Amino acid sequence: MDASRAAADPVIALVDIAVRVRDRRLLEGTSWRIEKGEQWAVVGPNGAGKSTLVRALAGDLPIVRGRVIRGPQGCDLRVGYVSFELHRELIAREEGRDDARQFSGDWSGEATVRRLLEIDPPAAAGMPETAARSLGIFPLLDRPIRTLSTGEMRKALIARALAPSPGLLILDEPFDGLDTPSRSRLTALIGRLMASGTQIVLVTHRSSEIPHEVTHILEVADGRVVRQNIREGFFARDAEGREQYGESCAATLPAPLPEVRTGRPAFQAPPVLIEMRAVTVRYGPSVIIENLDWTVRRGENWTLLGPNGAGKTTLLRMISGDHPQAYANEILLFGRRRGSGESIWEIKAPIGMISSEFQIGYRKGVTAMEAVLSGFHDSVGLYRRSTRLQKETARDWLRCLGIADRADRPFPHLSQGEQRMVLLARALVKSPALLILDEPCQGLDRENRRRFLSIVDAVGRHTPTHILYVTHHPEEIPACTTHILRFVPGPDGSGRFVPGPAGPGRITT
């Protein structure tokens, strides 16, 4: 570090810190100095400590050693912060108020996007409104936040973080859940913020998401900072000159798929798994899905494509029985009409599912192994004694997914990506007839994405499990996909889902 840089007051600095997360001390001896004008990206594998580091920077975690310098003396540094954990906390807060709303019968206090953006002082209200327009969510201002898709909620949180006109904006995986146009709009917004003087710290697992204005890179591994330097020369480049972070790993299975050992007779899927007839979903005057006819037959694996807010997650919730309007529509699942007297447990028995919404709601203090075992019972948390066969099967899936060493760790203590891998094992452990994967690669590093996708492809090709898959990244569509359900926008801004075969060659969104 040159003398002039050392002498200047930093915008913010961590000096020889350690932080406490529950009963653990992390990031021992970490120092990081951000100077005026610098724009940083933070990279590293799942579980490395990236989110912990930026939470310490945001003042969201207790510092138990060292100190934090926040701007020149007398300067009030305003910090904006966006993360998956923040999303989870807001939804948990809303759910915690439901008992009082139910008792009073008054649901008018439910948090909407407008209320979320007006939490900060009215004097700063112009910035989140401008951001809402830039990110394309201004028409959603009066929607309850619990009806938003993952991508829509991420945009709302970014607009909210801009309310105090922060000098430092910390974005932890802000592109997760965003469709391609939304990613482009967010990249442009980040560029404008940097040009206007806002400094950015961006956490990402994808080097392609790092804006070209970023000047410095910090790498975290095994709970410590291992490298920090200017961007030039940090990344290797592929044959086309694109920056690449992380070791290349072949898209092959790390081990054979675990044996099917459920301890009960295998579910025999009928010729038609799902049949929807003129399905329509609406919230008040807003029509989310209109007159959809869709059939999924035995032997088919489907990928669902469409922009944020098109209704993909709503459609999947209609299948899983988690959407109340499923019972107001003509839906047949495994040959049985929805709402014909079946229990929720009968609906879920042949289905495995993973989504951001489900991960946000899985807040039980169980171990990773117990979370996987809960998949046998379709429960959130584990309330039954597990058999030896179930435990062996759960361990096999944890090994296959490369997270066997996390088996005894408390599930809430895992990183977002580690939790996602555990929940995939939970979805697979009972060998479901139907596996629903709603943007499953969110939060996964490059190696885990490849491992994950190779396993999904093997399951779709070589087991009786059928797959419904949602993604905004064409390169992550499983090779086992046989059919596409694509949202096609109309000239008036509305649109509809159109089913069809996948066809040869690369599938584009």
Side-chain angles (χ1 to χ4, degrees), residues 45-223:
N46 289 136
K50 302 182 299 300
S51 293
T52 300
L53 177 64
V54 297
R55 286 180 67 192
L57 198 68
D60 198 38
L61 284 177
I63 302 294
V64 296
R65 169 184 150 184
R67 62 195 179 105
V68 182
I69 302 172
R70 297 186 180 278
Q73 188 171 2
C75 173
D76 179 22
L77 177 66
R78 296 178 179 176
V79 179
Y81 175 57
V82 174
S83 70
F84 177 82
E85 289 77 14
L86 180 58
H87 184 171
R88 190 201 300 264
E89 289 169 8
L90 289 170
I91 296 301
R93 187 186 306 167
E94 277 299 287
E95 291 176 353
R97 294 169 177 164
D98 280 350
D99 285 344
R101 292 170 179 145
Q102 188 72 35
F103 180 78
S104 66
D106 180 9
W107 291 80
S108 61
E110 193 171 10
T112 62
V113 176
R114 185 184 301 277
R115 289 185 177 181
L116 184 71
L117 302 188
E118 292 176 350
I119 289 175
D120 292 294
M127 177 59 80
E129 182 174 314
T130 300
R133 292 184 184 278
S134 297
L135 293 169
I137 60 167
F138 192 76
L140 306 178
L141 288 184
D142 294 313
R143 283 266 299 274
I145 63 173
R146 282 189 288 182
T147 68
L148 301 180
S149 69
T150 303
E152 290 169 335
M153 184 64 174
R154 193 61 53 95
K155 297 174 197 177
L157 291 178
I158 293 168
R160 177 179 183 262
L162 292 171
S165 299
L168 180 69
L169 180 61
I170 300 173
L171 301 173
D172 191 348
E173 298 287 355
F175 295 95
D176 272 359
L178 301 190
D179 57 31
T180 301
S182 295
R183 294 198 298 271
S184 296
R185 284 195 290 266
L186 178 55
T187 299
L189 176 61
I190 289 173
R192 292 195 297 272
L193 289 169
M194 290 177 177
S196 68
T198 301
Q199 292 186 241
I200 304 288
V201 173
L202 171 71
V203 179
T204 182
H205 287 113
R206 303 173 189 266
S207 54
S208 62
E209 293 178 348
I210 301 176
H212 69 270
E213 295 94 342
V214 165
T215 59
H216 291 69
I217 310 291
L218 181 143
E219 182 178 11
V220 185
D222 298 322

Side-chain angles (χ1 to χ4, degrees), residues 294-487:
W294 181 35
T295 302
V296 176
R297 294 177 173 84
R298 187 166 55 205
E300 296 177 350
N301 296 312
W302 285 75
T303 291
L304 283 63
L305 302 176
N308 293 136
K312 303 182 299 298
T313 296
T314 297
L315 189 59
L316 297 181
R317 293 183 68 214
M318 299 280 282
I319 296 167
S320 66
D322 296 320
H323 196 290
Q325 295 189 42
Y327 303 93
N329 282 279
E330 190 171 359
I331 301 174
L332 285 81
L333 188 64
F334 304 116
R336 186 172 181 178
R337 172 73 183 263
R338 176 61 48 80
S340 60
E342 76 280 18
S343 71
I344 190 64
W345 306 112
E346 290 174 309
I347 293 171
K348 293 183 178 296
I351 299 175
M353 184 171 185
I354 182 172
S355 66
S356 290
E357 182 180 52
F358 182 77
Q359 184 173 349
I360 285 168
Y362 204 107
R363 298 190 290 269
K364 297 296 182 180
V366 296
T367 66
M369 169 63 84
E370 290 168 338
V372 176
L373 289 169
S374 71
F376 284 108
H377 314 294
D378 303 303
S379 59
V380 176
L382 188 63
Y383 308 99
R384 301 185 191 180
R385 190 181 300 276
S386 301
T387 67
R388 179 183 60 82
L389 184 62
Q390 289 172 337
K391 291 177 181 178
E392 289 176 358
T393 305
R395 288 193 190 96
D396 287 346
W397 276 112
L398 288 170
R399 279 194 292 269
C400 187
L401 288 160
I403 51 174
D405 60 337
R406 302 295 197 269
D408 296 324
R409 289 272 302 277
F411 181 79
H413 295 194
L414 301 177
S415 72
Q416 178 191 352
E418 290 169 332
Q419 288 183 4
R420 187 58 61 101
M421 296 294 277
V422 168
L423 293 179
L424 178 64
R426 178 191 180 276
L428 287 166
V429 75
K430 63 178 180 179
S431 299
L434 184 63
L435 179 62
I436 298 176
L437 302 171
D438 189 357
E439 299 187 57
C441 290
Q442 286 186 24
L444 298 187
D445 61 33
R446 190 182 184 197
E447 179 176 352
N448 278 332
R449 285 199 304 273
R450 293 196 177 194
R451 182 191 298 266
F452 181 102
L453 290 170
S454 65
I455 290 173
V456 169
D457 183 50
V459 168
R461 289 179 186 271
H462 305 303
T463 77
T465 296
H466 300 76
I467 291 171
L468 298 183
Y469 191 95
V470 172
T471 184
H472 290 300
H473 294 271
E475 70 278 8
E476 293 173 3
I477 295 175
C480 66
T481 295
T482 61
H483 290 71
I484 298 290
L485 185 65
R486 189 189 306 269
F487 183 86

